[in-house]
Each structure stands twice: as C-alpha cells, then as structure tokens.
Amino acid sequence: MSGDSDCTRTSPSAGSPSDSELLPDRPKYVCTLSPDLVTKAREELQEKPEWRLRDVQALRDMVCKDYPSLGTCLDDAFLLRFLRARKFDYDRALQLLVNYHTCRRTWPEVFSNLKPSAIKPVLESGFVTVLPHRDPQGRHVVCIRPDRWTPSNYPITENIRAIYLTLEKLIQSEETQVNGIVILADYKGVSLSKASHFGPFVAKKVIGILQDGFPIRIKAVNIINEPRIFKGIFAIIKPFLKEKIANRFFLHGCDLNSLHQNIPPVILPEEYGGTAGKLDISAWNELLLASEEDFLHDFSELVLPCDSSPHDLLVFV
C-alpha cells in the first residue's frame, strides 16, 4: 500500500528493463479525474498521483514475475482499476487480477460470447439497467429486477452475464473506479420457483465474482419489495459474504421512506417514489449495445504473456 517511504514498496529494478518493458508500446495513461476526485482517491484509496505510474509498473512487474502466462492486458489504465479496488495494496491487487481471469475461465456458461449483443433479450426485458443520474456521492445506481425474467426464455446465467457486462461498462469510468456503485434490487413478484434457480452453486459463484473477482467497489446493496421467501434467499447468500459487504445490505421491504434514506428521491424513478420520471431502460440499453466494439477489443484482443516474444501472441478468451 502506498506510504511515505519508497523502501516499503516493490518497484522496478534500476539499470535493466523489466520483462513488461520489453512488450510492445501500450496506450499512455491520461488521468480524467477531477481535482476533487484526485483528493478523494488520495484520502480513501491511498492513491498518490506522483506515484501512480510507478505503482502500476510495480503491479505489472509482479504479474510478469509471478504469473507470466496469465495472458492479461497490461495497459496502465486497466491495471489501475485493480490497484484502486484494493487501495493500492500490490499483493491484494495482484490476487484480484488473477481471480478476475480465473472466474472468467472457470464459468464458460457466463463468460463465453461476452458481448452486449449476446444479452440483448435480457436488456430488453429490463432485468438490469442503470439509473440515468448518479447519487450525491457520485455513484451510479444499478437497478436489478428479477421479476422481469422469465426462466423459460433463457437460463439464469444470461442474467449474470448481463450484470457482468454492465459492471464492465461502468468500470471503464475512472469516476466509478473511485466512487464505486450502489445496487438497487427490486424483488417484487419473485416466486419460490424463480428463486430456486439461484441455488448455492450460483450464489457462491456470483458472490465470489463481486467480492473477490471484479475491480469494483460496491458501496451499498438496497433490497426493496422483498417477499417472505427472501429470507431463504439471503440465508443462501450470507455465508459467502464477507462481514464488510454483509453490513452494506439494506432490506427495506415496502418502505419507500426507508429506501429514500439511502437513495434520494430526486434520482429515483416514480416506481420507487422518486421524482425522476418513469423508469426508462432504453438509454442504458442503447449505450451498452453501442459499446459492442469496446467489448470485442477488451475481451478478444491479442495480449502478450510476459514470457513471450513480440511474435508469440496469445489470444485470451
């Protein structure tokens, strides 16, 4: 973690190029954070602008030394996501990066064909969307509505893929990397038969990704309109939750006033007692679907393992 002394840090060796320095040129990082967010990142994430690129290089060197065949992107901006998510603790950021790739390789039902066009039916159903306005802390609100899913149309893994792609799109923003996100889950109308699709295996996989396999800061999970059976659902989830995350779950029932204590009405749609108009999923759907090329680049590009020559490329899928 960043501190006041260089002696406690892993930094590139002087006098000789690191393995990663032998790779082809990468895009140059340009910070897009506002002065206020730079200050917030310094205070909350231990991010020091004057050390930022050195921290990235240190993580890159660790990847090349410890996981030379990981087949990961090594761009500054990409690695910076993992450092921010783990408050610039090199070891924890490295483990998060390894987990990120492990999750994608070990659950092909979710991570194959990972592009927005593949989950268009999920988006059109309104199962997952992002509210158009951020909250006062600058956080996007991801709205999940399980009642919009018809199990006979497609398996639950399609929903998980849609959530994952939504998070991938959001985390492209440095503002989101610093501020994190808030989740609003509306369980209105969720039946026992539908809930049964979210068993221990799926629960463990999803929680594992969100907690330890994806570089995003989940600051709050607001559950509303949860039926009685949600106690059973939460009983499945809770054993896999770390205490810090479990403490960020807020169960509001049908109490909109309780919800408004966490998410102000001014950014909420009318469906949740807000003043931001009817819930409109079209804007987010259009934005995500228009990002198809970004995802093809991110997930299907040629990446160079640290132990390969410039002519020995690896396709990571």
Side-chain angles (χ1 to χ4, degrees):
M1 187 178 298
S2 298
D4 294 325
S5 171
D6 292 353
C7 299
T8 61
R9 308 173 65 82
T10 303
S11 58
S13 301
S16 62
S18 65
D19 290 338
S20 56
E21 288 173 333
L22 299 176
L23 300 181
D25 290 339
R26 288 174 294 273
K28 184 177 180 180
Y29 169 74
V30 178
C31 182
T32 61
L33 296 175
S34 67
D36 286 345
L37 283 176
V38 169
T39 299
K40 183 175 183 179
R42 181 186 292 270
E43 294 175 350
E44 295 186 9
L45 307 182
Q46 316 305 318
E47 177 177 344
K48 297 184 178 181
E50 62 272 23
W51 286 359
R52 185 188 289 128
L53 293 183
R54 190 187 68 171
D55 291 340
V56 170
Q57 183 62 49
L59 177 58
R60 185 182 293 119
D61 287 346
M62 292 173 71
V63 173
C64 291
K65 177 183 177 182
D66 298 336
Y67 298 93
S69 299
L70 185 61
T72 186
C73 176
L74 292 172
D75 292 350
D76 294 343
F78 181 78
L79 294 180
L80 193 53
R81 301 176 187 180
F82 296 86
L83 285 165
R84 285 173 172 154
R86 291 299 180 262
K87 298 185 177 181
F88 281 75
D89 182 312
Y90 295 168
D91 291 329
R92 295 177 64 229
L94 177 62
Q95 189 59 59
L96 178 61
L97 177 62
V98 172
N99 292 348
Y100 172 86
H101 288 296
T102 300
C103 288
R104 287 173 54 186
R105 287 169 171 157
T106 58
W107 204 2
E109 295 86 351
V110 171
F111 294 106
S112 60
N113 201 25
L114 199 60
K115 55 186 180 181
S117 61
I119 48 94
K120 188 174 180 180
V122 182
L123 295 175
E124 292 176 342
S125 76
F127 174 84
V128 60
T129 192
V130 176
L131 300 188
H133 304 292
R134 296 174 184 261
D135 73 2
Q137 288 74 45
R139 305 174 300 200
H140 275 299
V141 179
V142 178
C143 183
I144 300 172
R145 298 183 293 167
D147 71 304
R148 310 295 294 183
W149 171 48
T150 302
S152 60
N153 289 347
Y154 47 80
I156 192 171
T157 48
E158 295 296 287
N159 294 329
I160 298 167
R161 185 188 305 175
I163 294 172
Y164 190 89
L165 284 169
T166 294
L167 298 182
E168 282 283 4
K169 181 60 181 176
L170 290 176
I171 206 60
Q172 291 176 358
S173 163
E174 290 197 284
E175 186 173 353
T176 296
Q177 293 170 27
V178 173
N179 290 330
I181 64 167
V182 170
I183 293 175
L184 170 59
D186 181 0
Y187 277 83
K188 181 179 180 181
V190 175
S191 64
L192 181 60
S193 62
K194 185 175 291 187
S196 67
H197 291 267
F198 195 72
F201 172 81
V202 174
K204 185 177 181 180
K205 285 276 194 180
V206 171
I207 297 301
I209 292 169
L210 296 179
Q211 286 189 144
D212 300 310
F214 195 85
I216 201 162
R217 306 174 71 208
I218 300 177
K219 306 301 292 182
V221 180
N222 293 275
I223 310 294
I224 193 165
N225 295 323
E226 68 273 18
R228 291 181 180 179
I229 62 169
F230 185 79
K231 290 184 177 180
I233 299 174
F234 195 66
I236 294 173
I237 296 173
K238 194 168 183 180
F240 306 120
L241 294 173
K242 296 178 180 178
E243 182 178 2
K244 181 176 71 173
I245 297 295
N247 291 337
R248 293 177 180 175
F249 272 70
F250 301 93
L251 309 184
H252 302 288
C254 298
D255 188 350
L256 292 179
N257 289 326
S258 175
L259 174 65
H260 296 165
Q261 296 300 311
N262 286 26
I263 306 177
V266 68
I267 71 166
L268 285 171
E270 295 175 5
E271 289 86 342
Y272 302 115
T275 58
K278 294 285 187 181
L279 179 59
D280 180 13
I281 66 172
S282 61
W284 176 255
N285 288 357
E286 291 171 6
L287 177 65
L288 189 57
L289 290 169
S291 304
E292 185 87 1
E293 290 299 321
D294 292 343
F295 286 99
L296 291 176
H297 172 74
D298 287 346
F299 299 129
S300 301
E301 66 179 355
L302 294 176
V303 293
L304 188 65
C306 302
D307 59 354
S308 299
S309 71
H311 303 290
D312 183 13
L313 295 174
L314 168 73
V315 179
F316 174 74
V317 178

